[in-house]
Amino acid sequence: MLLKLAGLLLLAAVVYANNSTDGPKVLCYYDGAASLREGLGKVTVADVEVALPFCTHLVYGFAGINPETHKIRSLNEALDLDSGKGQYRQVTSLKKRYPGLKVLLSVGGYQDLTEEKPFEKYLTLLESGQGRTAFVNSVYSLLKTYEFDGLDIAWQFPQSKPKRIRGWTGKLWHGFKKLFTGDSILDPKADEHREEFIALVRDLKTAFMHEKFQIGLTMLPHVNETVFMDVLLLKDSVDYVHLASFNQQTPERNPKEGDFTAPIYEPTDRVVGNNIEAEVKYWLTGGAPSSKLVVGIPTFGRGWKLADDSGITGVPPIRTDGPSPPGPYTGIPGRYSWAEVCAKLPNPGNANGKGAEYPLRKIGDPTKRFGSYAFRIPDENGEHGIWLSYEDPDTAGNKAAYVKAKGLGGISLFDLSNDDFRGSCTGDKFPILRAAKYRL
Ligand SMILES: *[C@@H]1O[C@H](CO)[C@@H](O)[C@H](O)[C@H]1NC(C)=O
Ligand SMILES: *[C@@H]1O[C@H](CO)[C@@H](O)[C@H](O)[C@H]1NC(C)=O
Ligand SMILES: *[C@@H]1O[C@H](CO)[C@@H](O)[C@H](O)[C@H]1NC(C)=O
């Protein structure tokens, strides 16, 4: 009898500890496509399970929408659906072992790139009641079928064009490729789309009421909130607003200017608004409750090739020449998982490296405001020069501490597949997640 009671109490304690409505949120994003990578870059559902005791939410990405029917759809049916490998079911089944964990599906995220203009179908869908209804109904039945707990809306609104850093000479801009060509006006029907987006979120809320599905709103980098978001009319309909305040400066958008990619505060004379503090201020000033704001922490770094005229100090902003070469696991130019960044930093493994193996010089961030960077100036042949802005366990911890000090709703890890899930850097698995959670 006593034993039974003790057992019940224990069970209650476990369930309580897993109650994600208590305390700050930790949204752990997982890009399911990472399970399709080759070799050491492959990250399976089983690999991310170790992280779950630190997460309140597992957010599985990314679903897309069908431009004809406006319905939500898996971007990889052979991987996600029961008719294929059933990865949707695998992630939602994790709730059996982690009873407090909420598992959400994310739509958009600028990963739904099947059309030339990835934002167009996201705007067209908004424009008719029929389109919105088709979307809402399809989301409801997908969530219900696969036992998800809600939807993370990472809506693909058009992204603002890159702006040059203040105080830099025009000379730099010769030969700048026009990656973001087209209309000088971002979206001529922006006012309508803002209204219609509110309607969509409200319709989702109504449809979700009975099942208590959660709704999260992810603000993707370079989606202008002033243009597309009505904070006052959205705040009550969503469970959280996730500020994905990273990729502020990237080698794709800013091939000629290397700079901090995910600063908490604005470094002197940079593009206004491209930092966490500015985003948080925007939403708080607009009337969003601080408890709903979730700050995104990237687990990847961004890298640029250095050129002959980059100078030798490494101090950003710095002249660059496009993305640096891809890493061995993730294979994307100018983008590295934390394990890939770590392998480039000074450590016993590469102490005697040459050329591309030679370790970078690491510059930490004692100010706790902008993040770390590392660089290697080009060799005598003008090769192997690289400049890297990245998150590490220390700077991730600084962001969590910022969230705690401001009384915000929590953090996100974006994403688990780019944290060091094998523990190849120091032996600890998911070191960025752990460090952030520790300071939250
Ligand atoms: C979680 O905590 C909230 C508030 O503390 C409470 O209302 C809710 O019932 C709890 N949920 C579970 C499943 O224990
Ligand atoms: C949630 O529950 C599981 C076991 O059911 C446990 O291993 C885990 O540590 C718990 N999470 C937290 C945050 O306490
Ligand atoms: C966002 O839009 C507002 C209003 O049109 C504009 O003043 C501001 O410069 C824009 N911000 C960015 C980063 O483009």
Side-chain angles (χ1 to χ4, degrees):
M1 177 65 199
L2 249 170
L3 261 177
K4 251 190 193 162
L5 195 65
L8 273 178
L9 280 175
L10 196 67
L11 190 70
V14 166
V15 169
Y16 183 75
N18 270 293
N19 186 339
S20 57
T21 59
D22 295 331
K25 290 182 171 58
V26 181
L27 309 180
C28 294
Y29 282 77
Y30 169 51
D31 179 1
S35 71
L36 297 173
R37 287 188 204 140
E38 302 285 328
L40 287 174
K42 185 182 173 88
V43 191
T44 64
V45 175
D47 289 325
V48 300
E49 202 181 324
V50 186
L52 297 183
F54 302 97
C55 309
T56 60
H57 293 65
L58 179 62
V59 188
Y60 184 87
F62 285 88
I65 56 180
N66 179 320
E68 272 88 49
T69 63
H70 306 302
K71 290 180 181 172
I72 192 168
R73 67 169 175 195
S74 158
L75 292 174
N76 192 338
E77 300 191 347
L79 176 68
D80 292 329
L81 304 187
D82 284 345
S83 53
K85 278 179 70 186
Q87 201 159 264
Y88 279 171
R89 190 77 61 192
Q90 283 176 36
V91 291
T92 59
S93 300
L94 291 166
K95 288 188 279 181
K96 293 191 192 115
R97 264 165 296 178
Y98 304 90
L101 185 73
K102 299 288 177 203
V103 183
L104 271 49
L105 180 65
S106 187
V107 62
Y110 267 98
Q111 301 293 317
D112 182 6
L113 303 173
T114 40
E115 283 80 30
E116 198 187 329
K117 288 186 177 171
F119 54 85
E120 229 164 49
K121 63 183 170 182
Y122 283 78
L123 298 182
T124 313
L125 185 153
L126 294 176
E127 286 167 10
S128 74
Q130 237 175 338
R132 297 196 298 266
T133 303
F135 177 74
V136 171
N137 290 345
S138 67
V139 170
Y140 177 87
S141 69
L142 188 66
L143 298 185
K144 184 119 170 92
T145 303
Y146 286 93
E147 300 178 85
F148 282 102
D149 298 299
L151 184 72
D152 178 81
I153 310 171
W155 209 250
Q156 292 182 180
F157 285 107
Q159 292 174 306
S160 310
K161 288 187 204 172
K163 285 187 185 160
R164 67 163 81 174
I165 293 172
R166 277 180 277 159
W168 275 48
T169 60
K171 205 174 144 205
L172 256 178
W173 289 75
H174 285 310
F176 179 79
K177 265 197 284 167
K178 284 214 163 163
L179 289 171
F180 298 82
T181 49
D183 327 299
S184 54
I185 297 169
L186 205 52
D187 173 11
K189 290 194 279 184
D191 286 349
E192 279 170 49
H193 293 140
R194 185 174 51 232
E195 296 300 309
E196 291 153 356
F197 185 67
I198 301 165
L200 178 76
V201 175
R202 285 185 173 167
D203 289 352
L204 282 167
K205 188 171 171 65
T206 307
F208 286 3
M209 200 99 75
H210 186 249
E211 299 288 335
K212 296 196 171 64
F213 288 149
Q214 297 194 359
I215 301 179
L217 175 59
T218 287
M219 281 315 302
L220 295 173
H222 310 295
V223 169
N224 190 331
E225 280 126 335
T226 317
V227 177
F228 294 111
M229 292 293 134
D230 189 322
V231 177
L232 274 181
L233 295 183
L234 284 170
K235 66 179 175 54
D236 295 329
S237 303
V238 299
D239 293 278
Y240 63 80
V241 178
H242 167 218
L243 306 174
S245 313
F246 41 76
N247 277 339
Q248 304 284 19
Q249 193 84 1
T250 72
E252 300 85 34
R253 288 174 59 90
N254 322 89
K256 299 288 178 190
E257 296 178 320
D259 203 359
F260 294 110
T261 191
I264 301 179
Y265 297 95
E266 184 194 314
T268 312
D269 278 350
R270 302 308 213 280
V271 176
V272 174
N274 285 356
N275 57 81
I276 291 173
E277 169 78 356
E279 298 253 332
V280 167
K281 241 191 199 151
Y282 179 83
W283 285 85
L284 289 179
T285 310
S290 52
S291 63
K292 284 194 180 178
L293 298 186
V294 170
V295 170
I297 299 177
T299 51
F300 54 87
R302 306 306 316 252
W304 286 257
K305 237 186 290 174
L306 285 183
D308 296 342
D309 63 351
S310 298
I312 57 164
T313 68
V315 175
I318 185 163
R319 291 169 193 224
T320 50
D321 188 19
S324 48
Y329 309 147
T330 54
I332 305 169
R335 194 183 194 280
Y336 307 102
S337 67
W338 166 237
E340 288 171 329
V341 172
C342 180
K344 290 183 185 297
L345 299 177
N347 67 58
N350 60 11
N352 304 312
K354 288 214 159 53
E357 309 301 321
Y358 192 76
L360 309 193
R361 183 168 160 213
K362 177 184 162 178
I363 312 291
D365 179 19
T367 69
K368 300 183 169 47
R369 295 170 73 85
F370 313 124
S372 303
Y373 65 92
F375 67 101
R376 176 176 60 213
I377 57 173
D379 60 22
E380 58 273 21
N381 304 321
E383 287 177 63
H384 305 307
I386 181 172
W387 193 92
L388 208 61
S389 167
Y390 62 94
E391 203 79 70
D392 60 23
D394 288 340
T395 58
N398 293 341
K399 285 183 179 170
Y402 167 91
V403 164
K404 188 176 178 182
K406 295 249 163 178
L408 305 181
I411 56 170
S412 86
L413 253 281
F414 202 97
D415 76 334
L416 292 176
S417 81
N418 283 290
D419 200 347
D420 183 13
F421 66 98
R422 278 177 211 285
S424 64
C425 185
T426 61
D428 278 341
K429 292 183 175 180
F430 295 102
I432 292 189
L433 171 60
R434 280 170 200 264
K437 168 80 184 168
Y438 182 69
R439 307 236 343 239
L440 193 59

